[in-house]
Amino acid sequence: MNGAMWKVVSRGTSLIFHSKKRSALSVPVRAFSAPTGLYGFPHLKTAKGFQSFVDEAIQRSGELISYICRKQPAAEVMRAMDEISDTVCSVVDSAELCRHTHPDREFVEEASKASMRINEYLHYLNTNHDLYDAIKKAEQECHMLSEEAKRGVRNLRVDFERGGINLCSGKLDRVNTLNIEISQLCREYNENIVMDPGTVDIYPSSRIPRNLHYLVKPIHRSVSLITKDLSGSRSTLKEKGFRITTDPQTLSSVLQFSSDDEVRKMVYIRGNSVPHANVDVLKRLISARHELAQIMGCSSYAEFSIKPNMALSPKVVMSFLLEMSKMVKPKTREEHKLLTKFQREKCRQSDGDLRPWDETYYMTMMKSSAYKLDASVVGSYFSLSNCIEGLKVLVQSLFGATFHSIPLAPDESWDPHVLKLSLHHPEEGDLGYLYLDLYSRKGKYPGCAHFAIKGGRRISQTEYQLPIVALVCNFSGSQNPSAVRLSHWEVETLFHEFGHALHSLLSRTDYQHFSGTRAVLDFAEIPSNLFEYYAWDYRVLRKFATHYSTGEEIPQKLVESMQGARDMFAATELQRQIFYALVDLTLFGEQPLPHGDISSVVAELKREHTNYGHVEGTHWETRFSHLLNYGAGYYSYLYAKCFAATIWKKLCEEDPLSSTTGLALRTKFLQHGGAREPDALLNDLLGDGIYRYQDGGIMPDISCLCDEMKLVEEYPRQVHLL
C-alpha cells in the first residue's frame, strides 16, 4: 500500500476468518462464513463486490478509530491499529493481485476502482491526528509492552511522520496530492507495459527457427512478381512471415535462440523502445517523487526511500555499488574478450565488436559448446509437476512440514488452473495457504511474483490468523503440469519466489504489520536469494528432478555442467544487476539529473559500468517496473545476494536439507518477519562478520560472494576492520 503508516508491497495475507471474537476490543465484531468468493473473501463473488469490500473496510476501520480515541492502553492501541492495517491491506492486496492476474476485464476494472478508493482512504488514515496522538501516547507508555509491540508503536509513529503528519496543512495537502499522483503514474506505467509490448514483423517465415514458432504469430503479405516472358505481366503471391511480440519473455527467447543477426537486432531495438508513452510517465514519476521528498525535508527521493532501511543513506548504497562495480570489472572484461573471440571464430571475422543483441545468443552458444548442454535435455528433468514436488521436498526436509492440495471453494479461483495448497505441520497444524497461478495467459502480469492476500497475526492467546499468499508465474506451453518443461532459469525463478512465500507462510509475528516480507526492503529479499541456491545444488535436485519419461534421476555430471555454464559469465550478469541498481539510485537521486534527460543518464551509466554502449533510440528503463516498486531500492537485490551467499556458505552448504539447518532458518530468521531489527536477526543466525557499519548504515560483507564467484584470487579480508 502507498502512504505512510500502511504500506503494502504485495507481501502476505491469510484467508482464515474467525467467528469468535477477533480481539479484546469492545467494538462490534463480525462473524464471517467460510470462503466463498475470490481469494476466499465473501464480498468478491462478483466483480461489483469490490465496492462493498471497500465500504466494509472503511466502516470497520472507522469503528476501530473510534475505539482508539477512547483513551485505550498502549497494548490495545497497537492491537487496534494492526487490525485497521489488516482490514485495509486485505482490500489493497486482493485488488493488486486481481488487477495483475484476473482474466475477466470487469474484475480488473473493479479492482482498479477499489484500489484507487482505498488509497484515498489511506491518505485520510495517514494524516489522522487522533491516531497519531494515540500512537505517541502509546509510545510514551510502552514499557509494559512486548518488544514486538514496542517496535510496532515506534514504527507507526515514524511512518506517520514520514507521511507528513507534522506538516502545515498546505504542505500536507500537497503530499496527499503527490501520493495519489504517484500511485496513478505507477498504475499507468504498468498498464502501458501490458497494452504496448511492441511487435516486429519478420519475412520470410524461414528466418524464425522452428523452436521459436510457439512464441510467434503467422502473418502474410502480398508480393508482386513480374513474369520473365515478353508479356511482362504481374502476378501476386502471398508470402508467409511471423509477427514477434517483444514482451520480455519472448524477447529473451529470440535473443537467445535466433541465429539471424538482423532479427535479433530488430527485436532488441523494438523491445527496448516500448512503451514509448512511459518516457513521459517516468519523467513525471521522478519529478513527483522528488517534490515529495523535498517537502519531507530530504534532498532526494533516494534519501527519503533508503532512510528506514539497513543501508540508511544513498551515500552508503552508492559506496557499496561502486565497490561491487570495481570488484567485478576485471573479470567482466575477461568474459567479454572471451565472448568476442568466440563470436569472431563463429562468424569467421578477424574483427568486429559484440553488440547488445549478440550477447545472449553467443553466451548461450558458448555455454552449449563448452558444456555440451542441450536445453531440451535439461528441461526433460524439470517438468512443472517435478518442480512443485521439489518445493514439497524443501518444506518436508527443512521444516518437517508438508504441502497438501485442497479444493477451491465456489468463486474462490480466478482461473481453472489455479492450485491451492495448505502448508501443514504434524504438531502445529496448518501454517498457511498458498495459491499457485503458474501459466501464462493474455493480459496477465508478465513476470513471476509473490503476492500477499493476508498477513499472519495473533488474534488471541489461542487463535492465529494464518498467512495466505499467491505465487504467480508465466510458464508457457501445455497447461498440464506433467507436460510443461521448465528451463533451469525458470526453476531458479520459481525457487526465488518460493523463498518469499516461505518467509510469509512461516512468519509467526503477533502483528500483521510485521508479517513475512513486511520488513525493510534490503532485508526482505534475503530469503528469496537464499532459496535460489537450492535450485542449483545436486543434493537437492536429485530428490525431485527425474526424467519425464524414464523416471531417471538427473545425472550429477549434467548438474555440474549446468553449474559450469552458469559460472561462465556470472561476473557479467552481476555487473548487469549493479548497473540496474545504479540507474535506479541515480534516477531517484538529486535533481536535476546529471547528463540531462533520463536516457542520457542511463546511457552514461551503461558506458561506465558495463562493456556495452547505449543503442541510440532505445529506452530500456520504460518497462523496468522495479523503478516503481523499489524506487531507489533495487540495490536490495545485491545486498540480499551478499547476505544470502554468506548464509549459504556458513549455515546451509554443508547439509542444505538437514532439519538442523531448517530449524535455524525458521526460528532465528523466517518466523520473525520484520518484527526484529535486521542486524539482530542476522547476528543471531550467523554471529559476527556478516555485515559491517559504514557512515552509520549497514553494508553486507561481500567476501563469501567473491569467493563463490572467484572474482579475485584473494579478497582483502581487512574490509571487516573498516
Side-chain angles (χ1 to χ4, degrees):
M1 282 175 346
N2 295 311
M5 165 170 71
W6 289 282
K7 303 178 193 146
V8 174
V9 188
S10 297
R11 305 228 185 183
T13 27
S14 145
L15 295 184
I16 301 302
F17 297 103
H18 297 269
S19 58
K20 299 179 183 178
K21 201 172 182 183
R22 297 176 76 192
S23 69
L25 306 183
S26 55
V27 290
V29 179
R30 294 170 176 74
F32 292 101
S33 60
T36 54
L38 187 63
Y39 319 133
F41 292 111
H43 286 293
L44 301 184
K45 291 178 183 177
T46 66
K48 295 294 183 186
F50 268 108
Q51 296 175 17
S52 56
F53 198 19
V54 175
D55 292 339
E56 181 163 305
I58 292 173
Q59 182 183 340
R60 178 62 177 166
S61 298
E63 293 168 354
L64 290 163
I65 291 168
S66 297
Y67 175 77
I68 289 168
C69 292
R70 295 201 293 268
K71 311 294 183 189
Q72 303 302 330
E76 285 301 296
V77 170
M78 182 61 212
R79 196 192 322 272
M81 292 287 279
D82 196 61
E83 188 176 344
I84 294 173
S85 180
D86 181 63
T87 302
V88 175
C89 286
S90 296
V91 178
V92 178
D93 285 337
S94 58
E96 189 73 5
L97 176 59
C98 182
R99 287 195 311 108
H100 283 95
T101 62
H102 208 292
D104 187 327
R105 193 67 202 168
E106 186 184 5
F107 265 96
V108 173
E109 289 171 358
E110 290 298 327
S112 295
K113 291 177 189 174
S115 180
M116 286 187 279
R117 273 189 68 202
I118 203 70
N119 270 300
E120 288 173 8
Y121 183 68
L122 280 170
H123 297 310
Y124 159 74
L125 290 176
N126 292 336
T127 55
N128 187 307
H129 281 272
D130 290 333
L131 292 178
Y132 178 54
D133 291 342
I135 279 292
K136 285 197 298 182
K137 184 172 180 289
E139 189 175 20
Q140 292 165 4
E141 300 170 355
C142 71
H143 55 280
M144 296 294 288
L145 298 181
S146 67
E147 288 304 311
E148 183 180 338
K150 288 178 183 176
R151 180 171 166 80
V153 167
R154 182 175 65 253
N155 280 16
L156 286 171
R157 191 258 305 158
V158 169
D159 285 342
F160 265 119
E161 291 165 359
R162 282 174 59 79
I165 193 82
N166 290 325
L167 297 172
C168 67
S169 60
K171 287 185 176 180
L172 185 54
D173 287 344
R174 183 58 184 157
V175 165
N176 289 339
T177 300
L178 286 167
N179 276 322
I180 292 170
E181 181 184 342
I182 288 165
S183 178
Q184 290 170 342
L185 286 168
C186 289
R187 188 178 294 111
E188 187 179 344
Y189 183 102
N190 278 326
E191 287 172 355
N192 288 340
I193 291 173
V194 174
M195 300 303 292
D196 183 17
T199 60
V200 173
D201 292 348
I202 302 296
Y203 291 96
S205 60
S206 58
R207 296 177 72 185
I208 303 298
R210 187 168 295 277
N211 64 330
L212 293 177
H213 283 190
Y214 75 100
L215 289 172
V216 298
K217 178 183 176 182
I219 54 173
H220 297 84
R221 68 179 176 184
S222 297
V223 180
S224 295
L225 296 176
I226 301 175
T227 59
K228 292 183 177 180
D229 59 27
L230 295 175
S231 67
S233 61
R234 292 175 178 268
S235 62
T236 302
L237 294 177
K238 277 197 169 183
E239 183 181 25
K240 183 181 178 183
F242 284 115
R243 175 163 293 166
I244 302 173
T245 302
T246 55
D247 60 275
Q249 187 176 1
T250 305
L251 175 62
S252 174
S253 296
V254 174
L255 291 178
Q256 191 171 357
F257 297 115
S258 174
S259 60
D260 190 316
D261 293 358
E262 191 62 26
V263 169
R264 294 199 309 274
K265 178 180 179 179
M266 291 166 68
V267 298
Y268 175 90
I269 291 174
R270 184 62 177 159
N272 284 279
S273 304
V274 291
H276 186 75
N278 278 351
V279 172
D280 181 61
V281 172
L282 184 56
K283 184 178 179 180
R284 287 187 286 145
L285 177 64
I286 291 169
S287 177
R289 282 179 165 173
H290 183 68
E291 183 183 349
L292 173 68
Q294 292 213 304
I295 293 173
M296 298 307 302
C298 296
S299 62
S300 67
Y301 185 76
E303 180 186 338
F304 179 73
S305 176
I306 295 168
K307 200 171 186 179
N309 296 350
M310 286 193 286
L312 194 65
S313 73
K315 182 180 179 182
V316 173
V317 175
M318 184 59 79
S319 176
F320 166 73
L321 293 176
L322 293 178
E323 180 182 348
M324 291 282 284
S325 183
K326 183 179 179 181
M327 173 192 73
V328 80
K329 192 167 284 186
K331 191 165 184 182
T332 64
R333 285 175 177 159
E334 288 177 20
E335 291 176 356
H336 190 73
K337 286 177 183 176
L338 200 64
L339 194 61
T340 301
K341 182 183 177 187
F342 180 80
Q343 180 219 22
R344 289 173 180 173
E345 288 172 355
K346 288 294 176 184
C347 298
R348 295 182 174 84
Q349 296 174 341
S350 58
D351 57 9
D353 294 327
L354 273 172
R355 303 292 288 164
W357 49 84
D358 296 327
E359 182 187 50
T360 304
Y361 176 71
Y362 287 107
M363 277 185 178
T364 302
M365 187 186 293
M366 192 170 172
K367 288 176 180 182
S368 297
S369 175
Y371 291 98
K372 312 303 179 193
L373 283 175
D374 182 326
S376 63
V377 172
V378 174
S380 68
Y381 293 93
F382 293 109
S383 67
L384 182 54
S385 55
N386 275 356
C387 295
I388 293 172
E389 188 60 35
L391 306 183
K392 295 178 180 180
V393 166
L394 286 182
V395 297
Q396 174 69 60
S397 302
L398 288 168
F399 312 117
T402 51
F403 272 121
H404 298 288
S405 295
I406 54 177
L408 288 122
D411 303 315
E412 185 180 357
S413 180
W414 56 101
D415 183 85
H417 300 284
V418 169
L419 301 176
K420 185 179 181 182
L421 307 176
S422 66
L423 181 61
H424 184 84
H425 192 278
E427 296 170 8
E428 302 170 49
D430 284 347
L431 301 177
Y433 300 95
L434 173 67
Y435 291 107
L436 295 176
D437 180 5
L438 302 177
Y439 303 103
S440 62
R441 59 180 175 270
K442 187 177 180 181
K444 183 181 173 184
Y445 175 83
C448 293
H450 155 263
F451 285 85
I453 300 167
K454 249 196 178 314
R457 69 186 182 106
R458 188 160 301 288
I459 294 172
S460 71
Q461 290 298 316
T462 57
E463 290 178 291
Y464 194 83
Q465 176 175 284
L466 297 181
I468 296 187
V469 299
L471 203 161
V472 175
C473 296
N474 270 275
F475 302 137
S476 56
S478 164
Q479 296 192 329
N480 173 354
S482 297
V484 174
R485 314 271 182 264
L486 302 191
S487 68
H488 190 264
W489 177 83
E490 290 174 319
V491 177
E492 183 184 48
T493 301
L494 179 65
F495 276 55
H496 174 100
E497 297 303 335
F498 188 62
H500 282 311
L502 281 179
H503 202 182
S504 294
L505 294 170
L506 296 176
S507 172
R508 280 303 174 270
T509 56
D510 289 340
Y511 303 104
Q512 75 88 39
H513 189 76
F514 294 125
S515 179
T517 56
R518 297 181 198 270
V520 294
L521 190 58
D522 49 9
F523 177 80
E525 289 292 338
I526 298 174
S528 55
N529 277 266
L530 177 63
F531 276 88
E532 288 182 17
Y533 283 89
Y534 283 87
W536 287 99
D537 193 285
Y538 173 68
R539 294 163 295 179
V540 177
L541 295 178
R542 67 188 295 268
K543 298 282 187 180
F544 71 89
T546 56
H547 195 276
Y548 73 95
S549 63
T550 67
E552 172 204 13
E553 185 182 286
I554 191 168
Q556 186 169 359
K557 285 188 176 180
L558 177 59
V559 176
E560 289 170 354
S561 293
M562 289 158 55
Q563 292 166 343
R566 171 199 62 189
D567 295 341
M568 271 189 91
F569 298 102
T572 298
E573 179 52 39
L574 181 60
Q575 185 182 61
R576 192 183 342 270
Q577 297 302 316
I578 295 166
F579 162 66
Y580 292 163
L582 284 165
V583 168
D584 176 49
L585 187 67
T586 305
L587 291 184
F588 293 109
E590 295 189 11
Q591 306 291 318
L593 291 170
H595 315 296
D597 62 50
I598 295 169
S599 290
S600 297
V601 171
V602 174
E604 182 59 31
L605 288 170
K606 190 169 188 179
R607 278 190 286 269
E608 190 176 347
H609 295 282
T610 78
N611 291 303
Y612 294 96
H614 175 67
V615 179
E616 201 63 40
T618 61
H619 36 81
W620 148 90
E621 66 279 1
T622 56
R623 67 175 184 193
F624 188 58
S625 57
H626 289 88
L627 293 172
L628 316 185
N629 302 330
Y630 301 97
Y634 193 80
Y635 77 91
S636 299
Y637 285 108
L638 292 164
Y639 257 48
K641 193 172 183 69
C642 292
F643 284 125
T646 306
I647 294 169
W648 176 260
K649 187 174 184 65
K650 295 187 176 181
L651 177 66
C652 306
E653 187 174 41
E654 185 176 335
D655 192 355
L657 291 175
S658 78
S659 57
T660 304
T661 298
L663 183 66
L665 286 174
R666 185 180 177 190
T667 60
K668 294 184 177 183
F669 189 29
L670 298 173
Q671 75 177 29
H672 298 288
R676 295 184 61 199
E677 290 290 345
D679 55 342
L681 281 175
L682 293 168
N683 263 332
D684 283 354
L685 186 65
L686 289 184
D688 294 337
I690 190 169
Y691 61 82
R692 56 191 166 104
Y693 290 101
Q694 180 162 323
D695 295 320
I698 291 171
M699 189 183 288
D701 175 67
I702 62 176
S703 57
C704 286
L705 184 64
C706 278
D707 291 345
E708 176 190 314
M709 298 183 68
K710 301 178 178 62
L711 291 176
V712 287
E713 287 300 316
E714 189 174 336
Y715 182 71
R717 307 285 174 171
Q718 61 265 31
V719 295
H720 296 292
L721 305 177
L722 295 178

